[in-house]
Amino acid sequence: MKYILRSLFFIALLILAGCTDKEENRGEPVVSTEEEVTESLAEAPEAEDEEESLYSEEEHGEPLKNSNLNDKETLLPYSSEQIEYARVWRQFGPNQEIDELIVHLIPAGTPLDPNDDASVKYPEDVIQLTGTRLVDGSVTYSSNGNGTINIYNVPLRWYGGMAPSDELEKEKVYEEMKNIITNPKLESIEADSGEEIIKLIELQKGH
């Protein structure tokens, strides 16, 4: 009988001790060792390091990744007029495969048909861009100085290179000229700064 009582007493002590341990563990915070913290930091994703690198570059004044700043810097040696001529031709020029980009500065009062002094005249200073061949086409415009231009749909050769044969035909052509001058097309210039712009700048010739 004594043996049985001792066994029951011993079992009760074990149960009581187990409950006490659980209650104590339940209220205690988990504490990580220094070694565990070091291992956790070492396993952090590399994306955070890349993001920090981007901010670091910006703080030191260096261009961020995928920046267009380098393209813009390549245009610094050129004048705003040279850049404008290249951008206008790149956007509106009929033929991009040209040998030269010839720039004609035409003052106000110049006849639309240079071979006919009696023809309609330009109401303002204009710029006419052409290639070296008729097939290259042309762009005739005035600049508004705010990134927009007025394009005049003026052909390089009037009457197919021949003067009108009679007064009625001549009057018809003059009416067409008046319509061109009074209805220019307003366009915005794209701020392109790629290699094609530099190529067109280097092809420019004054006339």
Side-chain angles (χ1 to χ4, degrees):
M1 185 69 177
K2 290 181 179 180
Y3 178 78
I4 293 174
L5 290 175
R6 287 179 181 177
S7 298
L8 292 174
F9 179 75
F10 182 74
I11 292 171
L13 287 176
L14 289 177
I15 294 172
L16 181 61
C19 293
T20 303
D21 290 340
K22 289 181 179 179
E23 290 177 357
E24 291 176 353
N25 291 336
R26 190 178 304 164
E28 292 178 359
V30 177
V31 179
S32 299
T33 64
E34 182 178 353
E35 183 178 355
E36 291 173 339
V37 172
T38 303
E39 290 178 354
S40 176
L41 291 174
E43 295 175 356
E46 295 180 359
E48 294 181 0
D49 294 337
E50 293 179 359
E51 182 178 357
E52 181 178 355
S53 175
L54 288 177
Y55 285 115
S56 175
E57 289 178 358
E58 185 175 29
E59 291 172 356
H60 289 81
E62 298 177 3
L64 298 180
K65 296 179 181 179
N66 299 325
S67 172
N68 291 326
L69 182 60
N70 290 336
D71 287 340
K72 294 178 181 178
E73 286 179 344
T74 61
L75 297 180
L76 290 178
Y78 307 108
S79 69
S80 58
E81 289 83 7
Q82 288 176 307
I83 296 170
E84 178 184 283
Y85 303 152
R87 286 175 173 172
V88 169
W89 188 266
R90 178 63 177 165
Q91 190 172 348
F92 304 104
N95 181 23
Q96 297 299 310
E97 300 299 324
I98 56 176
D99 299 323
E100 292 181 359
L101 179 58
I102 303 174
V103 181
H104 306 261
L105 302 180
I106 303 175
T110 301
L112 268 66
D113 180 5
N115 298 318
D116 184 0
D117 291 336
S119 69
V120 177
K121 297 175 174 56
Y122 287 103
E124 59 179 342
D125 296 342
V126 298
I127 300 157
Q128 188 175 72
L129 306 176
T130 67
T132 56
R133 304 165 298 176
L134 284 175
V135 294
D136 294 331
S138 66
V139 181
T140 305
Y141 73 97
S142 66
S143 178
N144 296 317
N146 60 358
T148 65
I149 58 174
N150 305 309
I151 295 182
Y152 294 95
N153 189 25
V154 177
L156 280 177
R157 297 176 68 179
W158 292 94
Y159 331 116
M162 299 178 62
S165 58
D166 55 46
E167 290 298 323
L168 183 61
E169 185 179 355
K170 182 181 293 187
E171 186 65 27
K172 183 179 178 180
V173 172
Y174 288 173
E175 287 299 320
E176 181 183 351
M177 289 181 175
K178 291 177 182 178
N179 183 58
I180 290 173
I181 289 302
T182 56
N183 295 287
K185 189 175 182 180
L186 181 65
E187 295 282 1
S188 297
I189 305 174
E190 296 177 0
D192 191 358
S193 56
E195 294 181 1
E196 292 299 324
I197 296 300
I198 297 175
K199 178 182 177 182
L200 287 170
I201 290 176
E202 293 176 348
L203 289 177
Q204 290 175 19
K205 302 289 183 182
H207 192 275

